[in-house]
Amino acid sequence: MEFKDFKEKLFEEAKNEGLTEFEIYFSNKESLSISIYKEEVEKYNLNKSFGISFRAKVDEKMGYSYTEIIDEDAIKMLVENAKASALSIENDDMQFIYKGDKKYSEVKSYYKELENIDAKKLIDLAIDMEKECKNCSDKVVNFIGCGISYVNVKYGLMNSKGLELTDKSNLLTAYVAPVIEIDSRKYDGFGYDTAKSIEEIDPKKIAKQGIDEAMEKVGAKSIKSNKYKTIIKNEAMVSLLQAFWSVFDADSAQKGISLLKDKEGEMIASDKITLVDNPLMEDGLASVGFDDEGVATFKKSIIEKGKLITLLHNLKTANKAGIKSTGNGFKGSYASPVSVGPTNFYLENGEKDFKELLDEVNNGVVISEFSGLHAGANSITGEFSLAAKGFMIEEGKQTFPIEQITVSGNFFKLLKDIEEVCSDIKFPMSSFGSPSVLIKELSIAGE
């Protein structure tokens, strides 16, 4: 059955069953993932998935159902399951089928240059990344990983209020993680890139990035436990934002599991900090003109010069707060209910370059990498205790690499203790971005 016919029959069945507010959401995804090991294809995965979710209001409750098959049997099943799902809900949260907005921004997230890519070309590029690593250094002994992947998604929603929205996006990503050995010690690095065409993937550049990162770690050692003036490098700061973004989720705040509940209008960070959620960012990995409830998206400051302006809202949380949705109602997948999620989520650039930050620190520490974020970061309290790697700063210069250290602190305090923001924003294969930031001090446990 064609999707258009399925949708029309589904809507007719819903009306026959007495439903007046309902919606269909679909996702059609194709992905190709290729992994290389020792210049041979280790894994080749081509996946195609199609799914539909249906939701409907029954006695002011929202019921969900979903299917991967579109036929006559699925139509009745979707309506019946959505009704049953609604009747099992015990909370009194108001839910909405949205009528739509007058205007939606156009967002470019699909590139024709990525259509009909020759898989052999992708394999050759991935193999070249391994080869270029070995050309770049004779110290390469292994690879943690090497791969290239392509994703193409078409999605959209239609509802009983006449709203019909569709969009599509695609993306090409490549990475290599070489391991080098020097003086019987091994060090790893990571090189990556995202691209809008296959010609943008440069194996030599990606390989050099991975080798350079590994070489920077050679000779790393621990340092004495103390409180240090600290620069958190851009990619490390991104990992913190990923771990703690949910403190800006209005649903978490309304449930009392975010310390930012009712803090709008208050200074919660250094006046150097502006935190943005920007779904309209050019070439952003999460750029989108509408959210999964059909609300038009827009750029908004979450924190502006230290002041909390807004949390992220979907229709349900916005109604509770008596405000308009921020356009952040998203599904984890077509089969998931709508929750709150970020789009392109980043700290805005400052004006100083990295050398100026080093000069201001004079003596301290650069943190370039955090690990253990899933276990060592508590988004409710803001506390974190994380294994880390980085570099020593001595007399304004980045000197020897450091490892086997643990950095402890509190995310909310860290935001207030940011003294400077660099101009080196990065989005490391992610919709989260950050420049490097200078922190007043952090507790570091080492020797």
mmCIF file of all heavy atoms in Angstrom, residues 21-42:
data_model
loop_
_atom_site.group_PDB
_atom_site.id
_atom_site.type_symbol
_atom_site.label_atom_id
_atom_site.label_comp_id
_atom_site.label_asym_id
_atom_site.label_seq_id
_atom_site.Cartn_x
_atom_site.Cartn_y
_atom_site.Cartn_z
ATOM 1 N N GLU A 21 -8.827 14.324 17.348
ATOM 2 C CA GLU A 21 -7.481 14.892 17.273
ATOM 3 C C GLU A 21 -6.465 13.757 17.217
ATOM 4 O O GLU A 21 -6.351 12.963 18.155
ATOM 5 C CB GLU A 21 -7.195 15.781 18.491
ATOM 6 C CG GLU A 21 -8.049 17.045 18.531
ATOM 7 C CD GLU A 21 -7.615 17.974 19.639
ATOM 8 O OE1 GLU A 21 -6.413 18.320 19.691
ATOM 9 O OE2 GLU A 21 -8.463 18.338 20.476
ATOM 10 N N PHE A 22 -5.728 13.693 16.103
ATOM 11 C CA PHE A 22 -4.773 12.597 15.928
ATOM 12 C C PHE A 22 -3.695 13.008 14.942
ATOM 13 O O PHE A 22 -3.817 14.012 14.227
ATOM 14 C CB PHE A 22 -5.486 11.321 15.471
ATOM 15 C CG PHE A 22 -6.483 11.532 14.370
ATOM 16 C CD1 PHE A 22 -6.081 11.585 13.033
ATOM 17 C CD2 PHE A 22 -7.831 11.704 14.658
ATOM 18 C CE1 PHE A 22 -6.997 11.784 12.020
ATOM 19 C CE2 PHE A 22 -8.763 11.914 13.637
ATOM 20 C CZ PHE A 22 -8.344 11.948 12.322
ATOM 21 N N GLU A 23 -2.643 12.194 14.888
ATOM 22 C CA GLU A 23 -1.467 12.556 14.082
ATOM 23 C C GLU A 23 -0.699 11.313 13.671
ATOM 24 O O GLU A 23 -0.612 10.335 14.425
ATOM 25 C CB GLU A 23 -0.567 13.469 14.917
ATOM 26 C CG GLU A 23 0.706 13.938 14.232
ATOM 27 C CD GLU A 23 1.509 14.822 15.172
ATOM 28 O OE1 GLU A 23 1.274 16.048 15.161
ATOM 29 O OE2 GLU A 23 2.332 14.282 15.951
ATOM 30 N N ILE A 24 -0.121 11.365 12.479
ATOM 31 C CA ILE A 24 0.766 10.307 12.014
ATOM 32 C C ILE A 24 2.157 10.897 11.807
ATOM 33 O O ILE A 24 2.308 12.017 11.315
ATOM 34 C CB ILE A 24 0.239 9.667 10.710
ATOM 35 C CG1 ILE A 24 1.085 8.453 10.310
ATOM 36 C CG2 ILE A 24 0.146 10.673 9.579
ATOM 37 C CD1 ILE A 24 0.513 7.672 9.132
ATOM 38 N N TYR A 25 3.161 10.152 12.238
ATOM 39 C CA TYR A 25 4.558 10.564 12.073
ATOM 40 C C TYR A 25 5.289 9.416 11.392
ATOM 41 O O TYR A 25 5.103 8.253 11.753
ATOM 42 C CB TYR A 25 5.188 10.837 13.439
ATOM 43 C CG TYR A 25 6.666 11.191 13.407
ATOM 44 C CD1 TYR A 25 7.078 12.518 13.399
ATOM 45 C CD2 TYR A 25 7.645 10.200 13.386
ATOM 46 C CE1 TYR A 25 8.429 12.855 13.370
ATOM 47 C CE2 TYR A 25 8.996 10.523 13.356
ATOM 48 C CZ TYR A 25 9.378 11.848 13.354
ATOM 49 O OH TYR A 25 10.722 12.160 13.322
ATOM 50 N N PHE A 26 6.126 9.741 10.390
ATOM 51 C CA PHE A 26 6.852 8.674 9.706
ATOM 52 C C PHE A 26 8.334 8.997 9.619
ATOM 53 O O PHE A 26 8.753 10.155 9.640
ATOM 54 C CB PHE A 26 6.288 8.444 8.296
ATOM 55 C CG PHE A 26 6.718 9.485 7.292
ATOM 56 C CD1 PHE A 26 7.867 9.318 6.535
ATOM 57 C CD2 PHE A 26 5.974 10.644 7.117
ATOM 58 C CE1 PHE A 26 8.267 10.277 5.611
ATOM 59 C CE2 PHE A 26 6.368 11.611 6.195
ATOM 60 C CZ PHE A 26 7.522 11.429 5.443
ATOM 61 N N SER A 27 9.131 7.956 9.536
ATOM 62 C CA SER A 27 10.579 8.089 9.355
ATOM 63 C C SER A 27 11.039 7.006 8.387
ATOM 64 O O SER A 27 10.738 5.825 8.572
ATOM 65 C CB SER A 27 11.306 7.940 10.694
ATOM 66 O OG SER A 27 12.704 7.889 10.509
ATOM 67 N N ASN A 28 11.772 7.426 7.354
ATOM 68 C CA ASN A 28 12.307 6.504 6.354
ATOM 69 C C ASN A 28 13.814 6.717 6.312
ATOM 70 O O ASN A 28 14.283 7.757 5.854
ATOM 71 C CB ASN A 28 11.680 6.782 4.992
ATOM 72 C CG ASN A 28 11.957 5.677 3.986
ATOM 73 O OD1 ASN A 28 12.675 4.714 4.294
ATOM 74 N ND2 ASN A 28 11.422 5.795 2.797
ATOM 75 N N LYS A 29 14.560 5.749 6.803
ATOM 76 C CA LYS A 29 15.995 5.936 7.019
ATOM 77 C C LYS A 29 16.816 4.885 6.277
ATOM 78 O O LYS A 29 16.486 3.709 6.271
ATOM 79 C CB LYS A 29 16.309 5.864 8.519
ATOM 80 C CG LYS A 29 17.768 6.074 8.881
ATOM 81 C CD LYS A 29 17.946 6.047 10.397
ATOM 82 C CE LYS A 29 19.390 6.263 10.801
ATOM 83 N NZ LYS A 29 19.562 6.235 12.281
ATOM 84 N N GLU A 30 17.889 5.358 5.678
ATOM 85 C CA GLU A 30 18.849 4.462 5.027
ATOM 86 C C GLU A 30 20.239 4.816 5.545
ATOM 87 O O GLU A 30 20.614 5.988 5.580
ATOM 88 C CB GLU A 30 18.806 4.633 3.514
ATOM 89 C CG GLU A 30 19.820 3.767 2.770
ATOM 90 C CD GLU A 30 19.763 3.981 1.263
ATOM 91 O OE1 GLU A 30 18.833 3.444 0.647
ATOM 92 O OE2 GLU A 30 20.636 4.686 0.727
ATOM 93 N N SER A 31 20.990 3.812 5.952
ATOM 94 C CA SER A 31 22.338 4.079 6.457
ATOM 95 C C SER A 31 23.316 3.025 5.946
ATOM 96 O O SER A 31 22.977 1.850 5.829
ATOM 97 C CB SER A 31 22.354 4.100 7.994
ATOM 98 O OG SER A 31 22.001 2.836 8.519
ATOM 99 N N LEU A 32 24.507 3.482 5.649
ATOM 100 C CA LEU A 32 25.593 2.601 5.225
ATOM 101 C C LEU A 32 26.781 2.854 6.122
ATOM 102 O O LEU A 32 27.242 3.990 6.262
ATOM 103 C CB LEU A 32 25.976 2.878 3.769
ATOM 104 C CG LEU A 32 27.207 2.138 3.229
ATOM 105 C CD1 LEU A 32 26.993 0.629 3.258
ATOM 106 C CD2 LEU A 32 27.542 2.599 1.820
ATOM 107 N N SER A 33 27.277 1.808 6.761
ATOM 108 C CA SER A 33 28.411 1.931 7.675
ATOM 109 C C SER A 33 29.486 0.916 7.288
ATOM 110 O O SER A 33 29.207 -0.281 7.178
ATOM 111 C CB SER A 33 27.952 1.683 9.113
ATOM 112 O OG SER A 33 29.038 1.739 10.003
ATOM 113 N N ILE A 34 30.699 1.430 7.086
ATOM 114 C CA ILE A 34 31.816 0.572 6.668
ATOM 115 C C ILE A 34 32.959 0.712 7.666
ATOM 116 O O ILE A 34 33.402 1.821 7.964
ATOM 117 C CB ILE A 34 32.310 0.972 5.263
ATOM 118 C CG1 ILE A 34 31.189 0.795 4.234
ATOM 119 C CG2 ILE A 34 33.528 0.139 4.859
ATOM 120 C CD1 ILE A 34 31.470 1.459 2.896
ATOM 121 N N SER A 35 33.424 -0.419 8.193
ATOM 122 C CA SER A 35 34.565 -0.431 9.105
ATOM 123 C C SER A 35 35.738 -1.136 8.443
ATOM 124 O O SER A 35 35.561 -2.182 7.800
ATOM 125 C CB SER A 35 34.208 -1.145 10.416
ATOM 126 O OG SER A 35 33.190 -0.452 11.101
ATOM 127 N N ILE A 36 36.918 -0.572 8.617
ATOM 128 C CA ILE A 36 38.141 -1.113 8.021
ATOM 129 C C ILE A 36 39.104 -1.532 9.123
ATOM 130 O O ILE A 36 39.228 -0.850 10.147
ATOM 131 C CB ILE A 36 38.821 -0.048 7.129
ATOM 132 C CG1 ILE A 36 37.880 0.399 6.005
ATOM 133 C CG2 ILE A 36 40.143 -0.573 6.565
ATOM 134 C CD1 ILE A 36 37.501 -0.681 5.032
ATOM 135 N N TYR A 37 39.776 -2.662 8.923
ATOM 136 C CA TYR A 37 40.844 -3.075 9.838
ATOM 137 C C TYR A 37 41.950 -3.740 9.023
ATOM 138 O O TYR A 37 41.687 -4.657 8.252
ATOM 139 C CB TYR A 37 40.322 -4.035 10.902
ATOM 140 C CG TYR A 37 41.358 -4.375 11.954
ATOM 141 C CD1 TYR A 37 41.836 -3.400 12.818
ATOM 142 C CD2 TYR A 37 41.866 -5.661 12.070
ATOM 143 C CE1 TYR A 37 42.787 -3.689 13.788
ATOM 144 C CE2 TYR A 37 42.816 -5.968 13.024
ATOM 145 C CZ TYR A 37 43.273 -4.969 13.882
ATOM 146 O OH TYR A 37 44.226 -5.264 14.837
ATOM 147 N N LYS A 38 43.138 -3.219 9.184
ATOM 148 C CA LYS A 38 44.308 -3.698 8.439
ATOM 149 C C LYS A 38 44.056 -3.686 6.941
ATOM 150 O O LYS A 38 44.332 -4.645 6.220
ATOM 151 C CB LYS A 38 44.721 -5.095 8.928
ATOM 152 C CG LYS A 38 45.258 -5.086 10.363
ATOM 153 C CD LYS A 38 45.770 -6.453 10.782
ATOM 154 C CE LYS A 38 46.358 -6.390 12.194
ATOM 155 N NZ LYS A 38 46.874 -7.715 12.640
ATOM 156 N N GLU A 39 43.491 -2.558 6.492
ATOM 157 C CA GLU A 39 43.267 -2.267 5.078
ATOM 158 C C GLU A 39 42.316 -3.237 4.391
ATOM 159 O O GLU A 39 42.353 -3.414 3.173
ATOM 160 C CB GLU A 39 44.609 -2.186 4.321
ATOM 161 C CG GLU A 39 45.511 -1.076 4.857
ATOM 162 C CD GLU A 39 46.835 -0.993 4.131
ATOM 163 O OE1 GLU A 39 46.926 -1.478 2.989
ATOM 164 O OE2 GLU A 39 47.789 -0.444 4.718
ATOM 165 N N GLU A 40 41.466 -3.872 5.185
ATOM 166 C CA GLU A 40 40.427 -4.739 4.633
ATOM 167 C C GLU A 40 39.089 -4.390 5.282
ATOM 168 O O GLU A 40 39.043 -3.897 6.414
ATOM 169 C CB GLU A 40 40.754 -6.216 4.884
ATOM 170 C CG GLU A 40 41.963 -6.715 4.098
ATOM 171 C CD GLU A 40 42.181 -8.206 4.281
ATOM 172 O OE1 GLU A 40 41.425 -8.831 5.066
ATOM 173 O OE2 GLU A 40 43.085 -8.754 3.632
ATOM 174 N N VAL A 41 38.010 -4.651 4.567
ATOM 175 C CA VAL A 41 36.674 -4.383 5.102
ATOM 176 C C VAL A 41 36.383 -5.358 6.236
ATOM 177 O O VAL A 41 36.373 -6.582 6.046
ATOM 178 C CB VAL A 41 35.598 -4.514 4.002
ATOM 179 C CG1 VAL A 41 34.207 -4.342 4.607
ATOM 180 C CG2 VAL A 41 35.836 -3.490 2.903
ATOM 181 N N GLU A 42 36.169 -4.819 7.419
ATOM 182 C CA GLU A 42 35.837 -5.644 8.587
ATOM 183 C C GLU A 42 34.325 -5.797 8.732
ATOM 184 O O GLU A 42 33.811 -6.879 9.017
ATOM 185 C CB GLU A 42 36.423 -5.011 9.849
ATOM 186 C CG GLU A 42 36.188 -5.836 11.111
ATOM 187 C CD GLU A 42 36.744 -5.157 12.347
ATOM 188 O OE1 GLU A 42 36.642 -3.921 12.453
ATOM 189 O OE2 GLU A 42 37.290 -5.879 13.222
#
